Structures are given as C-alpha cells and as structure tokens.
Amino acid sequence: MMMRLAAALLLISSPVAAHDARASEVFTFTGSEQAAPGGGPARRTGFKASLEYGDGHRESVAGQCTARDNPPGAAFSRSGVCRAPGAYTMEFHCQPAGQAGSNCWGSLTGDLDGHHNGLTGLITYQSGPEGDAGVGRWND
C-alpha cells in the first residue's frame, strides 16, 4: 500500500509541478567562440554566451575553453572544459554532426563566488560555424 501511495504521489507531483518549480532554472543559450593564443596540443578559445531562463531573465557570461581531440575509438571525438569566472565551469564532450558541426553534452558546476554557488547542472548544445546553441538546466 505504501508503495502505491508513493507511486501515486510521484505521478501527481512530477512533470507539471516540477516544470513550474524549475522554470526559472531551465535556460536556452547561444554563444560564439574565438581562437585564443597558446594551448599547445589543446585548442583554446574564448567564448561569450547569452542565457535566457524560463522566467524571462537573462544572463551574459564570458570565459575560456580548452579542448582536445580524443584518441580514435573513444566514445567522444573531443572533450574539454570551459570556465566562466564568477558563473560556472562546464565539462563537455562532443561528437561530429554533419559536415561542420558537433553535438555536445556536459555538466555544469556553479562557481563558489557566483550566482550559481553550490549548484550543478546539465547542458546539451550543437556547435557549428555560426556558433553554439542549446539548452541547459541547473539542479537544486
């Protein structure tokens, strides 16, 4: 009986209630990258991104990324880390998509001295010649 009650509560409270409660923590974003000096075998880029949250507020971030190609046969063709000081660190992995683009996935960790202090999150995006575009979500 207790299991049925727990299952019923999950069904009642999940998708709609969770969506409303987290609407401000879900975001879409667009961004651009530019090559940065240095890096050696790793590719370094500077980036700027504009985030728009479900409640309508916006956030602009900028930082640097370092990425490297993974060895043949690896699950992902490229992996790296981006840091937006005062905002977050993103670890990401990408696979080719089409002739000039990549599909990428990653995790977010809020900077301790920033707005997202203590939060973690997920992100997915497509990267191509025109820039990056995707969605993300901060967890509680």
Side-chain angles (χ1 to χ4, degrees), residues 68-85:
R68 65 178 68 229
D69 292 335
N70 291 322
F76 298 98
S77 60
R78 178 174 294 236
S79 295
V81 174
C82 295
R83 289 189 176 83

Side-chain angles (χ1 to χ4, degrees), residues 2 5 20 60 63 78 81 83 85 88 92 97 108 110 112 114 118 124 130 135:
M2 188 61 118
L5 177 59
D20 289 344
S60 294
R78 178 174 294 236
V81 174
R83 289 189 176 83
Y88 60 81
F92 65 91
L108 300 168
L112 295 179
T124 182
E130 290 85 34
V135 297

Side-chain angles (χ1 to χ4, degrees), residues 3-18:
M3 295 288 275
R4 286 184 187 164
L5 177 59
L9 287 173
L10 281 174
L11 287 173
I12 290 170
S13 65
S14 30
V16 174

